[in-house]
Amino acid sequence: MIKSGKNSLAFSYKAGSTFVHKMPPVLKILLIPSINILIFSLPFEFSLGFLIFQALLAFILHFTIREQLRDLRPVLYYAVILYATSLLAQFFAALGTAGTWEEALKSGFLSAISNTETLKMLVKLFCVMQSASILFKTSTTLQIREGIGAIEGAIRHILPVSKKNTFTDTIALFICFIPMVYKNWELSKRAWFARGGKSGIKMMKSIFPVFFSVGIKQAFNAARAIAIRREE
């Protein structure tokens, strides 16, 4: 039997009483994007150190290794594809000069793994993904929405524009789109496995239409709710 539980889903809120959970949502929403800008602006050493810091912070927040890897899985897949593509490119490039295909494969492998620029980019992406994971796992959807509303309200208070928030719902919906997509995908996979299905092309062909239709329906209902709220 497949166990259910919101906490087991990627980028889903995990209840807790840690200092990050208690941190004002406004501060987290402003702090995390600012740090991500620094990650791509400062030297690689900052990204590497910050990645280690975030991993330690995740353990302090009681996030398991499995939960951390689940949220970082998109970057892990991207890393595999990136290195596989680089390996093939280096292999075919060395095939003309190497004596055998084994030598070309070895040369391509060494060239792929020694590409420091690829490694640096992946570390930065891991940092960004881990930051997003901490935000979503320590903030509810309502807290994110209220935080964005407070930021928009403060900006409108300064600028000579209407004082009524008009972008909060749309921006909050866009930000919360990430955990919603992951939740729908994980639930679709669980339903497939609960019926005895196996991983593979057949699974993708079967659950993707359901995943897509559920997402479209949720987006439509959310858009209607926002439109009705604005008319009131």
Side-chain angles (χ1 to χ4, degrees):
M1 181 176 179
I2 298 176
K3 296 181 180 180
S4 61
K6 187 178 180 181
N7 289 348
S8 61
L9 299 174
F11 290 98
S12 60
Y13 173 72
K14 184 172 183 177
S17 57
T18 65
F19 67 97
V20 180
H21 283 82
K22 297 178 180 179
M23 187 182 298
V26 174
L27 182 59
K28 284 188 282 188
I29 293 172
L30 292 175
L31 183 62
I32 289 179
S34 301
I35 293 176
N36 289 339
I37 292 175
L38 292 178
I39 288 173
F40 285 97
S41 302
L42 296 179
F44 168 73
E45 289 74 16
F46 174 82
S47 302
L48 183 60
F50 192 68
L51 180 64
I52 297 173
F53 167 76
Q54 288 189 123
L56 295 175
L57 178 61
F59 284 114
I60 294 175
L61 298 176
H62 308 297
F63 300 161
T64 64
I65 295 179
R66 185 177 181 180
E67 289 171 337
Q68 294 182 53
L69 291 178
R70 182 179 288 111
D71 289 357
L72 295 175
R73 188 161 47 188
V75 182
L76 291 174
Y77 288 155
Y78 177 70
V80 172
I81 294 173
L82 198 63
Y83 275 107
T85 304
S86 177
L87 173 60
L88 289 175
Q90 297 294 339
F91 168 74
F92 286 114
L95 196 59
T97 57
T100 62
W101 69 268
E102 290 92 346
E103 294 178 355
L105 182 62
K106 181 179 178 180
S107 175
F109 178 77
L110 293 176
S111 299
I113 63 174
S114 62
N115 190 336
T116 57
E117 293 303 319
T118 300
L119 177 61
K120 291 179 181 180
M121 178 57 65
L122 288 174
V123 169
K124 293 177 185 292
L125 292 177
F126 274 119
C127 284
V128 172
M129 191 65 73
Q130 184 73 303
S131 299
S133 173
I134 292 174
L135 172 63
F136 286 118
K137 283 190 174 298
T138 60
S139 308
T140 64
T141 301
L142 179 60
Q143 288 176 332
I144 293 175
R145 180 185 179 280
E146 291 178 344
I148 295 174
I151 295 173
E152 183 183 359
I155 295 175
R156 288 183 175 277
H157 182 73
I158 298 174
L159 299 178
V161 295
S162 171
K163 305 309 176 184
K164 182 180 179 181
N165 289 358
T166 57
F167 298 106
T168 294
D169 290 328
T170 303
I171 297 175
L173 183 64
F174 176 77
I175 292 178
C176 295
F177 178 75
I178 295 175
M180 182 182 70
V181 168
Y182 275 92
K183 179 181 178 180
N184 290 341
W185 181 252
E186 291 295 332
L187 292 178
S188 299
K189 287 173 58 179
R190 288 181 180 183
W192 172 259
F193 291 137
R195 290 169 172 79
K198 299 182 181 297
S199 297
I201 301 299
K202 185 177 180 180
M203 181 190 77
M204 296 295 182
K205 291 173 59 178
S206 300
I207 70 174
F208 186 78
V210 178
F211 162 74
F212 183 77
S213 63
V214 170
I216 291 295
K217 183 177 180 180
Q218 288 180 337
F220 175 74
N221 290 336
R224 287 184 59 190
I226 292 175
I228 292 173
R229 186 180 296 113
R230 289 177 176 175
E231 292 174 358
E232 294 177 351

